[in-house]
Amino acid sequence: MGFNLSEWALKNRSLTVYLMIIAVFAGLFAFVRLGRNEDPSFVIKTMVVQATWPGASVDDMLKQVTERLERTLQETPNLDFLRSFTRAGVTTIFVNLKDSTRAKEIPDIWYHVRKSIGDMRHSLPVGVVGPGFNDEFGDTFGIIYGFTADGFTHRELRDYVEDVRSKLLHVPDVSKIEILGAQDERIFVEFSIEELANLGIDRAALVAALQAQNVVQPAGTIQTGNESLSLRVSGAFRSEEDVANVNFAVGGRMLRLSDIARVRRGFADPPQPLFRVNGQPAIGLAIAMRDGGDILALGRNIKSALAEATADLPIGIEPRLVADQAATVDIAISEFMTSLWQAIAIILAASFVSLGVRPGFVIASAIPLTLVVVFSVMLASHIDMQRISLGALIIALALMVDDAMTTTDAMLTRLAAGDDKVEAATFAFRTYAFAMLAGTLVTIAGFVPVGFAASGAGEYTFSLFAVVAIALIASWFVAVLFAPLLGIAILTPPKAAKSSEPGWVFRTYRSFLTWALRAKWLTIALTLAMFAVSIFAIRLIPNQFFPASDRPELLVDLTLPQNASIFASETVARRIDDVLKGDPDVARWSTNVGRGAIRFYLPLSVQLPNNFFSQAVVVAKDVPARNRLQKKLEEVLANEFPSLTSRVSTLELGPPVGWPIQYRISGPEIPKVRDIALKLAQVIAADPNVAHINFDWFEPARQVRIQIDQNEARLLGLSSQALASVLNTVISGSPVTQVRDDIYLVDVVIRATDEERISLDTLRSIHVPLPNGRTVPLSQFASFTYDQEQPLVWRRDRVPTLTVQADVRQGLLPATVVDALTPSVTELAKTLPRPYRIVVGGTVEDSAKAQASVIAVIPAMLMIMFTVLMVQLRSFSRLFIVLSVGPLGLIGVVGALLLSGKPLGFVAILGILALLGMVTKNAVILIDQIESERSQGKDVWQATIDASSTRFRPIMLTAISTVLGMIPIAPTVFWGPMAFAIMGGLLVGTILTLVFLPTLYVAWFRGKEDRSEAKAATVS
């Protein structure tokens, strides 16, 4: 009969027990050492390339910098698309790789980007700074603290925060720490242009003198017979006093800088992005964990180290918690572990009730034995305990007892038939082992699209495939190696009285099956009719990509007109702070002014730094409080901040998307693109289910054009270059040197006094110094006009692209709204001239990409299934019968989703594909049992009924255990749709396996009932 693994285990009992002990201890060790995290890591396949060209207009930046860089970047291997953001003097390009790009290929691709840009850098205009590269766009800073100060200056606070940062960098598992909201210091040298001219001081000479005194340059080294002496020349600036005390020779006399200019220390003007915590100015520390670290251990270590570091802080400087991923993960893992134990308890209870105490104990022992093996392999495979892997454990839990139930049931059957314990223990391997293995491989194949979908969503859910595959393979080995040994030790032969009289459930099933076989064509027709109805009813189920997170945070996006200053954004942020103060639903909040929140949560859609944008992260006290708070904030923003484009949203699950409804309008001419966007916005606004329609860029900004009379300027000895330099120095200020102050570099900025540079009204009368020492008003040789230009331009693949964005009404799904808008949007798209086009984006686009990546792997899944089944069944007829049952689980899926109101999302689709393998596994084992009955000489009819009766209990027990085991995760936001899909599909699929499959088998092989035996059975 060939090698029997169960027989080997029984012959080598000591070794088998030893392996069990080793597995338990290794699993417990692995469980303690497994990393803990909130979400599975997935690579953000985006690099940011940024270059600056001070003084350049948006048009010049587009044509001379952005276009040149994009042409080179389009040669990037595996490029999906380029998306660029161009402002006056600055270009930012996002290089997005295809979702199918493997993680190990990405470092080489980013090296190619750096090299190719380095090769073409010489072709950029003179004066371009950069480009710089950021390929760590996906770093997650899960722990954030904000430090506030009462009675201390910003510089004093920063000194203390820098010291704390240095100490926290020594904490294990910390990879990097970013400082948020810190303002760089400046030393401002403010002078009056007229006064300098009256004194005959040349501004350029003054700048040169400052730079020459502060230069860092070697003065030589003296070598003596005993030592080496370095020479150091004094004069370097260490403070603003050193700058103020610089003397200049003017007209034969010495003048101190402080006599002709005001020298003071201040902060960057305009401010850099600001950070506020609970309504107070703050400096933040954002802490990122290394790959593979344990966020729970990191959280404990950070708290301990922070407590030590802050013990030395003076009273008035307080660290305030902003984001604590460790606490979130701790709660999430505790909830999932509770769900896991609940699922284990449910499955064990089902086993004990249905099989009895002793058989139930054998099955109960198989669960921890399988789990410890799974934990060991997870540790070796670097799979952390996180949202996906924990859910996978619960899903796999019921599946992993399937083989143990089959083995235990077979042992009980043989013991009842009179076999001794060893013969009964080895019978299951001889009879069912390879059918169970084939079923296991088929079930794993059902998860193949999850594991190998080439997309961000597929990468996010990969551990679902990995953990289920590990669990199912481990469960097979536990069933054939350990379960027989446990069975010999625990099981006893069933009492004859109990085994002779079948229960009412079994009798009811056998009677119903007999009726179904007799009315086989009606049974087949009714089944196919239900399947057809379920396919039609799919369209009634709302579609969804990933659900919103159940975390208590809210993101509040605050977007002003795109020419707004950071001062205007700060004013809005302060008003939002006033709204949040004292709200009973708010636990804490932080506000980022001039930028979006740093990535404190992996699926966060990170926003670019922009003066006109602010983002608050509000942590509610719980989820109900979050929902109440969201409504209140939406009302306040709509009523009290009408000029804002605002959005209040919960955190996302899965790859980040941003605004759920997005339509991209692309075309060569920006005015035409804007016109189309306006028309599209009107179409979208006609739908009452759409809210907060806005554009990612749209409104032009004012600018002042200074028209120089070049002839007059030349007569005065001026040029446009000299004039631009003077104006920049006078109005904005020019850094001329740096003061080396402890660990900081402080720019020394020369600019005019406030009264000469602030007002637009004084611009005409501003005095421009001439080479001969005199000054003339700017209006003498220049005229002033107001004009408009785009403050920024977004492009996609080198084409100007404007995105119309919108939200959906509470309780609706984006796909449903987009489906309703499709006819109107299509009509508008038909009226557009080439090459202008409208493309749907947002949630719908990302969902389509993710589903396409799954569909692309389905042929491989089917090929694996067909091959495994063919090897096991060795018959096209039997293969067809088995495959015909799998899709019928869709009947239960559709019914369960419709009744529960759950959407058909990406995770639910993965559950449906996995369900195909589960149902097929039962079908394989049942067909194998029928063939075994026929090999004993029974006819098709009798073999089918007997085999179905034999397999009824283990198949139904497995299905019921799986369905009941899903109950703990059914209420969850993320796993709910998959749980209901599997529960409904498996329940219906199992019933059809036990009824439809035997009916189809009898019909296919033309089995007929022996009426004489039936009458005899009836009479008896």
Side-chain angles (χ1 to χ4, degrees):
M1 292 296 293
F3 180 72
N4 189 314
L5 200 57
S6 299
E7 185 178 358
W8 178 89
L10 295 178
K11 288 181 178 178
N12 300 274
R13 298 187 186 187
S14 297
L15 178 58
T16 305
V17 172
Y18 174 76
L19 292 176
M20 292 170 63
I21 295 171
I22 290 296
V24 169
F25 280 102
L28 294 175
F29 172 78
F31 179 77
V32 174
R33 295 291 300 274
L34 278 171
R36 268 75 169 172
N37 218 326
E38 183 173 9
D39 288 284
S41 62
F42 61 90
V43 179
I44 305 291
K45 301 179 177 71
T46 301
M47 173 186 262
V48 181
V49 180
Q50 189 171 62
T52 60
W53 187 14
S57 66
V58 171
D59 190 58
D60 284 340
M61 285 300 299
L62 279 171
K63 294 176 179 177
Q64 300 298 330
V65 181
T66 305
E67 175 67 18
R68 294 173 190 265
L69 291 173
E70 286 182 336
R71 281 204 302 263
T72 300
L73 291 171
Q74 277 195 314
E75 300 170 358
T76 302
N78 284 4
L79 179 69
D80 188 8
F81 64 92
L82 297 174
R83 193 163 183 251
S84 64
F85 171 84
T86 305
R87 292 180 297 171
V90 181
T91 184
T92 304
I93 304 172
F94 295 87
V95 184
N96 297 280
L97 302 181
K98 293 178 180 176
D99 280 345
S100 57
T101 306
R102 290 180 294 178
K104 65 180 182 181
E105 298 174 331
I106 291 177
D108 290 337
I109 295 175
W110 294 154
Y111 171 76
H112 177 275
V113 169
R114 286 183 167 87
K115 182 177 179 299
S116 59
I117 293 296
D119 291 342
M120 61 78 62
R121 183 178 279 123
H122 68 278
S123 67
L124 296 175
V126 176
V128 171
V129 180
F133 307 90
N134 178 13
D135 57 1
E136 298 177 344
F137 193 59
D139 287 345
T140 303
F141 299 84
I143 299 176
I144 303 175
Y145 282 90
F147 291 78
T148 58
D150 184 7
F152 293 86
T153 65
H154 185 86
R155 167 60 188 270
E156 290 170 332
L157 175 60
R158 184 172 182 181
D159 287 340
Y160 285 114
V161 172
E162 288 279 6
D163 183 59
V164 172
R165 177 180 182 271
S166 298
K167 294 175 180 177
L168 294 183
L169 281 170
H170 293 290
V171 174
D173 284 350
V174 170
S175 65
K176 64 170 63 175
I177 301 178
E178 293 282 346
I179 292 185
L180 308 176
Q183 301 296 304
D184 291 333
E185 287 189 297
R186 301 283 188 267
I187 294 176
F188 294 106
V189 179
E190 298 173 339
F191 55 86
S192 168
I193 296 175
E194 290 189 61
E195 187 176 343
L196 287 183
N198 293 334
L199 292 171
I201 298 174
D202 183 6
R203 182 183 58 85
L206 185 150
V207 170
L210 288 173
Q211 293 172 336
Q213 180 169 332
N214 196 41
V215 71
V216 175
Q217 189 170 331
T221 304
I222 297 176
Q223 301 285 345
T224 69
N226 298 321
E227 60 183 337
S228 175
L229 299 175
S230 298
L231 304 182
R232 294 285 182 265
V233 177
S234 67
F237 300 145
R238 298 299 177 192
S239 67
E240 62 270 29
E241 286 80 11
D242 291 344
V243 177
N245 291 330
V246 172
N247 291 322
F248 297 90
V250 179
R253 60 195 179 99
M254 300 298 290
L255 287 179
R256 185 170 297 175
L257 182 60
S258 59
D259 294 334
I260 59 175
R262 180 188 176 200
V263 180
R264 65 179 180 86
R265 184 182 287 245
F267 296 100
D269 183 18
Q272 296 159 304
L274 303 166
F275 187 62
R276 300 174 62 81
V277 176
N278 297 338
Q280 295 180 273
I283 296 178
L285 286 183
I287 303 163
M289 183 179 69
R290 68 168 180 83
D291 289 341
D294 184 343
I295 189 66
L296 298 184
L298 178 64
R300 292 191 297 269
N301 294 335
I302 288 292
K303 284 182 180 178
S304 175
L306 189 65
E308 292 181 12
T310 55
D312 299 328
L313 293 179
I315 296 174
I317 295 180
E318 294 291 336
R320 301 182 186 277
L321 182 67
V322 173
D324 188 0
Q325 194 178 40
T328 303
V329 172
D330 191 23
I331 294 170
I333 289 181
S334 297
E335 290 176 351
F336 264 105
M337 293 305 296
T338 301
S339 298
L340 185 64
W341 302 132
Q342 288 173 350
I344 290 174
I346 290 170
I347 292 170
L348 294 183
S351 302
F352 282 117
V353 170
S354 57
L355 295 175
V357 176
R358 289 178 177 271
F361 191 79
V362 174
I363 296 170
S365 302
I367 292 177
L369 286 172
T370 304
L371 285 176
V372 294
V373 175
V374 173
F375 291 145
S376 299
V377 181
M378 284 176 64
L379 181 65
S381 304
H382 306 290
I383 299 174
D384 296 339
M385 293 183 70
Q386 26 77 358
R387 187 191 314 276
I388 304 299
S389 61
L390 285 169
L393 282 173
I394 296 175
I395 291 170
L397 192 62
L399 302 177
M400 68 176 65
V401 299
D402 186 8
D403 292 339
M405 278 188 174
T406 300
T407 301
T408 305
D409 185 73
M411 290 181 67
L412 288 173
T413 302
R414 296 316 304 169
L415 287 172
D419 291 354
D420 60 53
K421 287 190 174 182
V422 173
E423 182 65 22
T426 58
F427 171 79
F429 188 91
R430 288 196 307 272
T431 310
Y432 300 123
F434 292 103
M436 289 192 305
L437 180 60
T440 296
L441 296 177
V442 166
T443 305
I444 293 172
F447 287 87
V448 163
V450 184
F452 298 95
S455 66
E459 191 174 349
Y460 182 76
T461 55
F462 171 79
S463 55
L464 175 62
F465 161 78
V467 172
V468 169
I470 294 166
L472 290 179
I473 292 173
S475 70
W476 186 85
F477 279 101
V478 168
V480 299
L481 271 177
F482 299 154
L485 185 60
L486 292 170
I488 282 183
I490 298 172
L491 295 180
T492 57
K495 294 181 179 179
K498 290 186 178 180
S499 62
S500 61
E501 197 63 42
W504 68 269
V505 175
F506 180 80
R507 294 197 306 271
T508 301
Y509 165 69
R510 191 173 178 103
S511 300
F512 182 77
L513 177 61
T514 303
W515 176 88
L517 292 179
R518 289 171 180 167
K520 54 181 177 291
W521 300 117
L522 177 61
T523 303
I524 294 172
L526 287 174
T527 304
L528 295 178
M530 287 190 296
F531 182 64
V533 170
S534 67
I535 292 177
F536 177 80
I538 287 179
R539 67 186 68 184
L540 302 177
I541 304 173
N543 291 320
Q544 185 184 55
F545 185 33
F546 280 95
S549 171
D550 54 358
R551 285 179 48 152
E553 288 93 342
L554 284 174
L555 297 177
V556 184
D557 295 352
L558 309 166
T559 307
L560 286 165
Q562 291 165 347
N563 63 340
S565 68
I566 194 169
F567 300 107
S569 293
E570 185 180 14
T571 300
V572 170
R574 290 178 183 272
R575 291 178 61 192
I576 294 297
D577 289 340
D578 292 338
V579 171
L580 294 172
K581 283 178 183 174
D583 192 300
D585 290 326
V586 176
R588 62 180 184 272
W589 78 95
S590 60
T591 311
N592 298 269
V593 182
R595 62 167 294 171
I598 197 168
R599 194 187 296 276
F600 66 93
Y601 170 71
L602 182 60
L604 182 69
S605 180
V606 178
Q607 303 297 317
L608 284 172
N610 275 306
N611 287 340
F612 57 81
F613 181 79
S614 299
Q615 189 174 56
V617 181
V618 185
V619 183
K621 292 182 177 177
D622 49 41
V623 174
R626 181 197 72 180
N627 297 334
R628 291 193 300 269
L629 187 60
Q630 184 173 9
K631 293 180 180 178
K632 287 187 285 187
L633 286 174
E634 286 175 345
E635 290 177 3
V636 169
L637 289 168
N639 297 329
E640 300 182 19
F641 299 83
S643 63
L644 281 177
T645 298
S646 59
R647 182 178 185 229
V648 183
S649 60
T650 56
L651 297 179
E652 299 175 271
L653 289 174
V657 176
W659 287 89
I661 294 181
Q662 297 178 24
Y663 289 94
R664 295 191 301 272
I665 302 98
S666 300
E669 299 295 331
I670 291 177
K672 180 66 175 176
V673 170
R674 292 175 68 243
D675 291 342
I676 297 171
L678 278 173
K679 293 177 183 177
L680 179 59
Q682 292 171 354
V683 170
I684 296 174
D687 191 320
N689 295 320
V690 177
H692 306 126
I693 300 170
N694 65 95
F695 309 92
D696 62 343
W697 61 280
F698 190 83
E699 66 272 12
R702 288 197 308 165
Q703 69 171 190
V704 179
R705 284 194 176 275
I706 304 174
Q707 301 291 340
I708 305 296
D709 185 336
Q710 297 294 340
N711 293 330
E712 183 68 22
R714 287 190 179 88
L715 288 174
L716 293 170
L718 294 173
S719 65
S720 294
Q721 178 184 8
L723 182 61
S725 175
V726 169
L727 290 176
N728 185 55
T729 300
V730 169
I731 297 173
S732 299
S734 297
V736 295
T737 187
Q738 290 178 319
V739 170
R740 296 171 286 281
D741 182 4
D742 195 26
I743 63 172
Y744 308 105
L745 285 174
V746 182
D747 287 341
V748 177
V749 178
I750 289 185
R751 67 184 186 183
T753 56
D754 290 348
E755 58 271 14
E756 289 187 346
R757 67 184 178 86
I758 294 298
S759 173
L760 283 172
D761 296 332
T762 61
L763 182 62
R764 295 176 182 274
S765 59
I766 193 170
H767 282 260
V768 179
L770 301 177
N772 60 12
R774 296 186 298 110
T775 63
V776 297
L778 182 59
S779 58
Q780 182 174 325
F781 57 90
S783 60
F784 303 86
T785 59
Y786 287 97
D787 198 0
Q788 288 186 332
E789 71 171 357
Q790 292 295 334
L792 57 93
V793 174
W794 278 101
R795 305 203 321 173
R796 186 182 176 97
D797 290 333
R798 298 171 54 202
V799 179
T801 303
L802 198 158
T803 303
V804 181
Q805 306 170 142
D807 217 332
V808 296
R809 297 293 180 191
Q810 197 75 25
L812 294 176
L813 296 176
T816 305
V817 177
V818 170
D819 288 342
L821 289 169
T822 297
S824 302
V825 174
T826 303
E827 284 299 316
L828 176 61
K830 289 178 180 177
T831 66
L832 302 183
R834 296 184 64 187
Y836 296 90
R837 60 197 183 108
I838 299 174
V839 178
V840 66
T843 305
V844 173
E845 181 184 41
D846 284 12
S847 178
K849 283 184 177 180
Q851 292 182 21
S853 69
V854 171
I855 292 171
V857 189
I858 287 180
M861 174 195 80
L862 296 176
M863 180 61 68
I864 295 172
M865 282 187 174
F866 293 166
T867 303
V868 172
L869 292 174
M870 199 63 190
V871 169
Q872 176 63 25
L873 301 173
R874 302 173 189 269
S875 164
F876 284 107
S877 300
R878 290 189 286 271
L879 176 65
F880 169 77
I881 294 173
V882 168
L883 293 177
S884 67
V885 177
L888 299 180
L890 189 64
I891 301 170
V893 170
V894 172
L897 293 179
L898 285 174
L899 291 174
S900 64
K902 298 292 183 181
L904 182 63
F906 183 77
V907 179
I909 290 173
L910 300 182
I912 293 171
L913 293 173
L915 177 67
L916 180 63
M918 299 178 196
V919 175
T920 304
K921 177 181 182 180
N922 287 332
V924 170
I925 297 178
L926 180 54
I927 288 289
D928 192 72
Q929 183 69 38
I930 294 174
E931 295 301 319
S932 175
E933 298 288 343
R934 289 184 65 183
S935 67
Q936 298 175 23
K938 297 179 181 178
D939 59 44
V940 171
W941 183 282
Q942 195 60 41
T944 302
I945 291 180
D946 290 347
S948 301
S949 303
T950 301
R951 295 303 307 158
F952 172 74
R953 183 169 65 174
I955 288 177
M956 282 304 299
L957 283 179
T958 302
I960 292 171
S961 298
T962 304
V963 170
L964 295 177
M966 293 285 174
I967 290 176
I969 62 171
T972 63
V973 172
F974 187 83
W975 292 108
M978 174 181 273
F980 276 101
I982 291 178
M983 290 165 72
L986 187 60
L987 199 58
V988 173
T990 300
I991 294 172
L992 292 176
T993 300
L994 292 168
V995 177
F996 174 77
L997 186 144
T999 304
L1000 186 61
Y1001 189 94
V1002 168
W1004 186 278
F1005 289 102
R1006 297 181 176 86
K1008 293 182 180 179
E1009 182 181 13
D1010 187 339
R1011 293 290 180 177
S1012 59
E1013 291 185 8
K1015 289 179 181 178
T1018 303
V1019 171
S1020 63

